[in-house]
mmCIF file of all heavy atoms in Angstrom:
data_model
loop_
_atom_site.group_PDB
_atom_site.id
_atom_site.type_symbol
_atom_site.label_atom_id
_atom_site.label_comp_id
_atom_site.label_asym_id
_atom_site.label_seq_id
_atom_site.Cartn_x
_atom_site.Cartn_y
_atom_site.Cartn_z
ATOM 1 N N GLY I 123 101.406 104.362 90.631
ATOM 2 C CA GLY I 123 101.371 105.574 89.826
ATOM 3 C C GLY I 123 100.370 105.486 88.688
ATOM 4 O O GLY I 123 99.705 106.474 88.347
ATOM 5 N N VAL I 124 100.256 104.308 88.086
ATOM 6 C CA VAL I 124 99.279 104.114 87.011
ATOM 7 C C VAL I 124 97.867 104.313 87.540
ATOM 8 O O VAL I 124 97.033 104.964 86.899
ATOM 9 C CB VAL I 124 99.440 102.717 86.383
ATOM 10 C CG1 VAL I 124 98.253 102.392 85.467
ATOM 11 C CG2 VAL I 124 100.736 102.638 85.594
ATOM 12 N N ALA I 125 97.588 103.757 88.715
ATOM 13 C CA ALA I 125 96.257 103.919 89.306
ATOM 14 C C ALA I 125 95.962 105.386 89.617
ATOM 15 O O ALA I 125 94.869 105.893 89.330
ATOM 16 C CB ALA I 125 96.144 103.072 90.577
ATOM 17 N N LEU I 126 96.939 106.075 90.191
ATOM 18 C CA LEU I 126 96.749 107.490 90.514
ATOM 19 C C LEU I 126 96.588 108.320 89.239
ATOM 20 O O LEU I 126 95.717 109.193 89.154
ATOM 21 C CB LEU I 126 97.931 107.997 91.331
ATOM 22 C CG LEU I 126 97.865 109.458 91.792
ATOM 23 C CD1 LEU I 126 96.615 109.722 92.623
ATOM 24 C CD2 LEU I 126 99.114 109.818 92.580
ATOM 25 N N GLY I 127 97.422 108.044 88.252
ATOM 26 C CA GLY I 127 97.309 108.757 86.988
ATOM 27 C C GLY I 127 95.983 108.498 86.310
ATOM 28 O O GLY I 127 95.383 109.400 85.712
ATOM 29 N N HIS I 128 95.506 107.260 86.398
ATOM 30 C CA HIS I 128 94.221 106.908 85.796
ATOM 31 C C HIS I 128 93.080 107.686 86.459
ATOM 32 O O HIS I 128 92.142 108.119 85.785
ATOM 33 C CB HIS I 128 93.984 105.403 85.935
ATOM 34 C CG HIS I 128 93.002 104.863 84.953
ATOM 35 N ND1 HIS I 128 92.898 103.533 84.655
ATOM 36 C CD2 HIS I 128 92.056 105.474 84.194
ATOM 37 C CE1 HIS I 128 91.943 103.334 83.768
ATOM 38 N NE2 HIS I 128 91.413 104.511 83.477
ATOM 39 N N ALA I 129 93.176 107.860 87.766
ATOM 40 C CA ALA I 129 92.154 108.637 88.477
ATOM 41 C C ALA I 129 92.107 110.067 87.947
ATOM 42 O O ALA I 129 91.028 110.634 87.711
ATOM 43 C CB ALA I 129 92.442 108.630 89.979
ATOM 44 N N ILE I 130 93.273 110.658 87.743
ATOM 45 C CA ILE I 130 93.338 112.028 87.205
ATOM 46 C C ILE I 130 92.822 112.056 85.769
ATOM 47 O O ILE I 130 92.092 112.967 85.371
ATOM 48 C CB ILE I 130 94.779 112.560 87.271
ATOM 49 C CG1 ILE I 130 95.237 112.645 88.732
ATOM 50 C CG2 ILE I 130 94.892 113.923 86.599
ATOM 51 C CD1 ILE I 130 96.710 112.968 88.896
ATOM 52 N N GLY I 131 93.189 111.044 84.990
ATOM 53 C CA GLY I 131 92.738 110.970 83.605
ATOM 54 C C GLY I 131 91.232 110.884 83.489
ATOM 55 O O GLY I 131 90.629 111.463 82.568
ATOM 56 N N ARG I 132 90.583 110.194 84.429
ATOM 57 C CA ARG I 132 89.125 110.091 84.394
ATOM 58 C C ARG I 132 88.460 111.439 84.684
ATOM 59 O O ARG I 132 87.342 111.690 84.242
ATOM 60 C CB ARG I 132 88.642 109.035 85.387
ATOM 61 C CG ARG I 132 88.783 107.612 84.879
ATOM 62 C CD ARG I 132 88.096 107.422 83.552
ATOM 63 N NE ARG I 132 88.216 106.058 83.055
ATOM 64 C CZ ARG I 132 87.882 105.691 81.836
ATOM 65 N NH1 ARG I 132 87.437 106.590 80.963
ATOM 66 N NH2 ARG I 132 88.020 104.438 81.447
ATOM 67 N N LEU I 133 89.144 112.291 85.403
ATOM 68 C CA LEU I 133 88.628 113.659 85.571
ATOM 69 C C LEU I 133 88.635 114.370 84.224
ATOM 70 O O LEU I 133 87.779 115.216 83.935
ATOM 71 C CB LEU I 133 89.470 114.420 86.592
ATOM 72 C CG LEU I 133 89.468 113.873 88.019
ATOM 73 C CD1 LEU I 133 90.354 114.742 88.918
ATOM 74 C CD2 LEU I 133 88.039 113.820 88.575
ATOM 75 N N GLY I 134 89.620 114.032 83.389
ATOM 76 C CA GLY I 134 89.654 114.561 82.033
ATOM 77 C C GLY I 134 88.465 114.073 81.228
ATOM 78 O O GLY I 134 87.877 114.841 80.447
ATOM 79 N N CYS I 135 88.107 112.802 81.395
ATOM 80 C CA CYS I 135 86.922 112.259 80.725
ATOM 81 C C CYS I 135 85.670 113.028 81.148
ATOM 82 O O CYS I 135 84.803 113.336 80.327
ATOM 83 C CB CYS I 135 86.749 110.785 81.065
ATOM 84 S SG CYS I 135 87.994 109.699 80.359
ATOM 85 N N PHE I 136 85.585 113.324 82.431
ATOM 86 C CA PHE I 136 84.431 114.065 82.941
ATOM 87 C C PHE I 136 84.373 115.461 82.330
ATOM 88 O O PHE I 136 83.311 115.957 81.957
ATOM 89 C CB PHE I 136 84.502 114.152 84.461
ATOM 90 C CG PHE I 136 83.326 114.843 85.097
ATOM 91 C CD1 PHE I 136 82.081 114.249 85.097
ATOM 92 C CD2 PHE I 136 83.473 116.087 85.688
ATOM 93 C CE1 PHE I 136 80.988 114.884 85.673
ATOM 94 C CE2 PHE I 136 82.400 116.727 86.267
ATOM 95 C CZ PHE I 136 81.148 116.130 86.262
ATOM 96 N N SER I 137 85.533 116.089 82.207
ATOM 97 C CA SER I 137 85.588 117.425 81.616
ATOM 98 C C SER I 137 85.184 117.408 80.147
ATOM 99 O O SER I 137 84.519 118.331 79.665
ATOM 100 C CB SER I 137 87.003 118.009 81.753
ATOM 101 O OG SER I 137 87.363 118.156 83.106
ATOM 102 N N ALA I 138 85.593 116.354 79.442
ATOM 103 C CA ALA I 138 85.303 116.266 78.013
ATOM 104 C C ALA I 138 83.874 115.819 77.737
ATOM 105 O O ALA I 138 83.310 116.125 76.689
ATOM 106 C CB ALA I 138 86.278 115.309 77.343
ATOM 107 N N GLY I 139 83.294 115.075 78.688
ATOM 108 C CA GLY I 139 81.944 114.561 78.482
ATOM 109 C C GLY I 139 81.908 113.170 77.894
ATOM 110 O O GLY I 139 80.825 112.647 77.599
ATOM 111 N N CYS I 140 83.073 112.541 77.712
ATOM 112 C CA CYS I 140 83.092 111.180 77.167
ATOM 113 C C CYS I 140 82.905 110.163 78.285
ATOM 114 O O CYS I 140 82.912 110.511 79.469
ATOM 115 C CB CYS I 140 84.400 110.923 76.418
ATOM 116 S SG CYS I 140 85.885 111.037 77.444
ATOM 117 N N CYS I 141 82.745 108.884 77.893
ATOM 118 C CA CYS I 141 82.607 107.791 78.873
ATOM 119 C C CYS I 141 81.461 108.051 79.849
ATOM 120 O O CYS I 141 81.565 107.742 81.039
ATOM 121 C CB CYS I 141 83.920 107.580 79.630
ATOM 122 S SG CYS I 141 85.359 107.356 78.578
ATOM 123 N N PHE I 142 80.378 108.621 79.346
ATOM 124 C CA PHE I 142 79.241 108.988 80.195
ATOM 125 C C PHE I 142 78.418 107.762 80.582
ATOM 126 O O PHE I 142 78.509 106.701 79.949
ATOM 127 C CB PHE I 142 78.354 109.995 79.459
ATOM 128 C CG PHE I 142 77.958 109.569 78.078
ATOM 129 C CD1 PHE I 142 76.845 108.772 77.872
ATOM 130 C CD2 PHE I 142 78.723 109.947 76.979
ATOM 131 C CE1 PHE I 142 76.483 108.362 76.603
ATOM 132 C CE2 PHE I 142 78.371 109.540 75.696
ATOM 133 C CZ PHE I 142 77.253 108.749 75.511
ATOM 134 N N GLY I 143 77.606 107.938 81.627
ATOM 135 C CA GLY I 143 76.771 106.850 82.109
ATOM 136 C C GLY I 143 75.348 106.930 81.592
ATOM 137 O O GLY I 143 75.009 107.797 80.766
ATOM 138 N N VAL I 144 74.512 106.050 82.084
ATOM 139 C CA VAL I 144 73.103 106.035 81.686
ATOM 140 C C VAL I 144 72.344 107.103 82.461
ATOM 141 O O VAL I 144 72.880 107.757 83.361
ATOM 142 C CB VAL I 144 72.477 104.649 81.947
ATOM 143 C CG1 VAL I 144 73.165 103.592 81.108
ATOM 144 C CG2 VAL I 144 72.559 104.285 83.433
ATOM 145 N N GLU I 145 71.093 107.284 82.102
ATOM 146 C CA GLU I 145 70.276 108.301 82.754
ATOM 147 C C GLU I 145 70.189 108.032 84.262
ATOM 148 O O GLU I 145 70.083 106.885 84.702
ATOM 149 C CB GLU I 145 68.880 108.336 82.149
ATOM 150 C CG GLU I 145 68.005 109.461 82.672
ATOM 151 C CD GLU I 145 66.689 109.585 81.937
ATOM 152 O OE1 GLU I 145 66.511 108.884 80.911
ATOM 153 O OE2 GLU I 145 65.838 110.375 82.379
ATOM 154 N N CYS I 146 70.278 109.090 85.037
ATOM 155 C CA CYS I 146 70.300 108.976 86.502
ATOM 156 C C CYS I 146 69.207 109.848 87.109
ATOM 157 O O CYS I 146 69.117 111.040 86.822
ATOM 158 C CB CYS I 146 71.668 109.415 87.026
ATOM 159 S SG CYS I 146 71.802 109.419 88.832
ATOM 160 N N LYS I 147 68.387 109.250 87.952
ATOM 161 C CA LYS I 147 67.331 109.998 88.616
ATOM 162 C C LYS I 147 67.685 110.312 90.070
ATOM 163 O O LYS I 147 66.836 110.742 90.845
ATOM 164 C CB LYS I 147 66.023 109.211 88.540
ATOM 165 C CG LYS I 147 65.538 108.966 87.110
ATOM 166 C CD LYS I 147 64.183 108.312 87.081
ATOM 167 C CE LYS I 147 63.741 108.028 85.655
ATOM 168 N NZ LYS I 147 63.622 109.250 84.838
ATOM 169 N N ARG I 148 68.933 110.077 90.416
ATOM 170 C CA ARG I 148 69.415 110.381 91.762
ATOM 171 C C ARG I 148 69.839 111.838 91.862
ATOM 172 O O ARG I 148 70.036 112.520 90.854
ATOM 173 C CB ARG I 148 70.590 109.476 92.116
ATOM 174 C CG ARG I 148 70.291 107.989 91.990
ATOM 175 C CD ARG I 148 69.356 107.517 93.077
ATOM 176 N NE ARG I 148 69.133 106.081 93.003
ATOM 177 C CZ ARG I 148 68.372 105.413 93.860
ATOM 178 N NH1 ARG I 148 67.764 106.048 94.842
ATOM 179 N NH2 ARG I 148 68.219 104.102 93.735
ATOM 180 N N ALA I 149 70.042 112.290 93.111
ATOM 181 C CA ALA I 149 70.398 113.697 93.324
ATOM 182 C C ALA I 149 71.762 114.039 92.745
ATOM 183 O O ALA I 149 72.037 115.198 92.437
ATOM 184 C CB ALA I 149 70.371 114.001 94.825
ATOM 185 N N TRP I 150 72.635 113.040 92.597
ATOM 186 C CA TRP I 150 73.992 113.318 92.115
ATOM 187 C C TRP I 150 74.122 113.182 90.592
ATOM 188 O O TRP I 150 75.215 113.199 90.054
ATOM 189 C CB TRP I 150 74.996 112.400 92.802
ATOM 190 C CG TRP I 150 74.721 110.930 92.623
ATOM 191 C CD1 TRP I 150 75.046 110.152 91.553
ATOM 192 C CD2 TRP I 150 74.070 110.067 93.551
ATOM 193 N NE1 TRP I 150 74.640 108.860 91.745
ATOM 194 C CE2 TRP I 150 74.039 108.779 92.972
ATOM 195 C CE3 TRP I 150 73.507 110.261 94.828
ATOM 196 C CZ2 TRP I 150 73.464 107.682 93.623
ATOM 197 C CZ3 TRP I 150 72.941 109.173 95.471
ATOM 198 C CH2 TRP I 150 72.927 107.907 94.862
ATOM 199 N N GLY I 151 73.004 113.045 89.896
ATOM 200 C CA GLY I 151 73.055 112.996 88.435
ATOM 201 C C GLY I 151 73.690 114.261 87.865
ATOM 202 O O GLY I 151 73.481 115.357 88.385
ATOM 203 N N VAL I 152 74.462 114.110 86.812
ATOM 204 C CA VAL I 152 75.171 115.231 86.191
ATOM 205 C C VAL I 152 74.570 115.511 84.816
ATOM 206 O O VAL I 152 74.359 114.590 84.020
ATOM 207 C CB VAL I 152 76.668 114.918 86.043
ATOM 208 C CG1 VAL I 152 77.379 116.035 85.286
ATOM 209 C CG2 VAL I 152 77.307 114.725 87.405
ATOM 210 N N THR I 153 74.310 116.779 84.541
ATOM 211 C CA THR I 153 73.727 117.183 83.258
ATOM 212 C C THR I 153 74.789 117.881 82.411
ATOM 213 O O THR I 153 75.349 118.898 82.830
ATOM 214 C CB THR I 153 72.534 118.132 83.475
ATOM 215 O OG1 THR I 153 71.553 117.478 84.282
ATOM 216 C CG2 THR I 153 71.914 118.522 82.135
ATOM 217 N N PHE I 154 75.068 117.337 81.253
ATOM 218 C CA PHE I 154 76.023 117.939 80.327
ATOM 219 C C PHE I 154 75.289 118.861 79.358
ATOM 220 O O PHE I 154 74.182 118.549 78.906
ATOM 221 C CB PHE I 154 76.774 116.853 79.554
ATOM 222 C CG PHE I 154 77.650 115.992 80.420
ATOM 223 C CD1 PHE I 154 77.202 114.755 80.887
ATOM 224 C CD2 PHE I 154 78.907 116.417 80.779
ATOM 225 C CE1 PHE I 154 78.012 113.965 81.689
ATOM 226 C CE2 PHE I 154 79.729 115.643 81.591
ATOM 227 C CZ PHE I 154 79.274 114.417 82.046
ATOM 228 N N THR I 155 75.925 119.969 79.042
ATOM 229 C CA THR I 155 75.277 120.966 78.185
ATOM 230 C C THR I 155 76.135 121.405 76.998
ATOM 231 O O THR I 155 75.670 122.191 76.181
ATOM 232 C CB THR I 155 74.911 122.213 79.011
ATOM 233 O OG1 THR I 155 76.117 122.764 79.590
ATOM 234 C CG2 THR I 155 73.928 121.868 80.126
ATOM 235 N N SER I 156 77.361 120.917 76.893
ATOM 236 C CA SER I 156 78.267 121.379 75.848
ATOM 237 C C SER I 156 77.954 120.740 74.487
ATOM 238 O O SER I 156 78.035 119.515 74.345
ATOM 239 C CB SER I 156 79.720 121.060 76.221
ATOM 240 O OG SER I 156 80.582 121.320 75.134
#
Side-chain angles (χ1 to χ4, degrees):
V124 168
L126 182 58
H128 201 162
I130 297 172
R132 281 305 180 191
L133 297 180
C135 291
F136 183 70
S137 298
C140 62
C141 307
F142 51 86
V144 297
E145 186 173 352
C146 177
K147 299 186 182 299
R148 305 289 183 179
W150 57 82
V152 175
T153 302
F154 295 97
T155 59
S156 171

